[in-house]
C-alpha cells in the first residue's frame, strides 16, 4: 500500500510555499522602503490557498476555450496585490516600514506553526511505519 503524501499532508505543504513567497514579497517591500515611487505589494494568501485546495481536490477551473481567461496559477504575479496605503508619502512610496515588519513577523510565526504541524505529521508517519 502506497502512502500518498498529498492525502497525508493536506494543503499544509502549499501553506508553507505560500508563506515563503509572502516572506519574499514582504522583505522586498522593506528593502524598498526608501525607494521613491515604490508600491508595496502583498500575497493574497486566501486566494493562493483556495487554488491549492482546488488543485488538491481536483475541482479546479479548466480552460476549455482559447478565448477564455487563463485562471491557472502559472502566472508569477497572479496572486500579488498592491497595498492601499494608510498614509501615502510625498514621493509616491506606499511602504510603511513598521507595518511591513509587523506583517513579516506575523508571517514568520505562521510559517513556524505550519512547519511544526508538518513536522508532527512526519513524526506520526515515521512512528506508524516503525510500528510504535
Amino acid at each position: 500500500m502506497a502512502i500518498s503524501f498529498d492525502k497525508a499532508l493536506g494543503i499544509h505543504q502549499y501553506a508553507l510555499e505560500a508563506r515563503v513567497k509572502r516572506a519574499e514579497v514582504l522583505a522586498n517591500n522593506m528593502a524598498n522602503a526608501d525607494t521613491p515611487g515604490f508600491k508595496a505589494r502583498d500575497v493574497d494568501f486566501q486566494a493562493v490557498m483556495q487554488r491549492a485546495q482546488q488543485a488538491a481536490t481536483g475541482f479546479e477551473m479548466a480552460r476549455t476555450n482559447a478565448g477564455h481567461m487563463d485562471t491557472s496559477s502559472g502566472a508569477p504575479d497572479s496572486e500579488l496585490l498592491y497595498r492601499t496605503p494608510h498614509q501615502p508619502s510625498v514621493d509616491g512610496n506606499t511602504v510603511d516600514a513598521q507595518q511591513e515588519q509587523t506583517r513579516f513577523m506575523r508571517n514568520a510565526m505562521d510559517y513556524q506553526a505550519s512547519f511544526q504541524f508538518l513536522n508532527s505529521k512526519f513524526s506520526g508517519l515515521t512512528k506508524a511505519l516503525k510500528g510504535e
Side-chain angles (χ1 to χ4, degrees), residues 12 31 61 69 83 97 117:
H12 298 287
M61 293 179 64
M69 282 179 27
R83 185 171 297 135
F117 183 81

Side-chain angles (χ1 to χ4, degrees), residues 1-64:
M1 183 170 136
I3 296 174
S4 170
F5 283 110
D6 285 338
K7 289 182 181 177
L9 303 178
I11 61 169
H12 298 287
Q13 60 186 338
Y14 302 111
L16 276 182
E17 292 172 5
R19 294 282 177 212
V20 168
K21 181 169 180 130
R22 187 166 190 230
E24 292 173 359
V25 171
L26 294 175
N28 188 40
N29 287 346
M30 287 190 289
N32 288 293
D34 294 329
T35 304
F38 183 81
K39 306 294 182 200
R41 300 183 85 178
D42 202 352
V43 173
D44 186 0
F45 187 77
Q46 288 185 336
V48 171
M49 294 310 300
Q50 187 175 17
R51 255 185 260 135
Q53 189 168 15
Q54 288 172 347
T57 59
F59 292 118
E60 59 188 317
M61 293 179 64
R63 187 175 179 187
T64 58

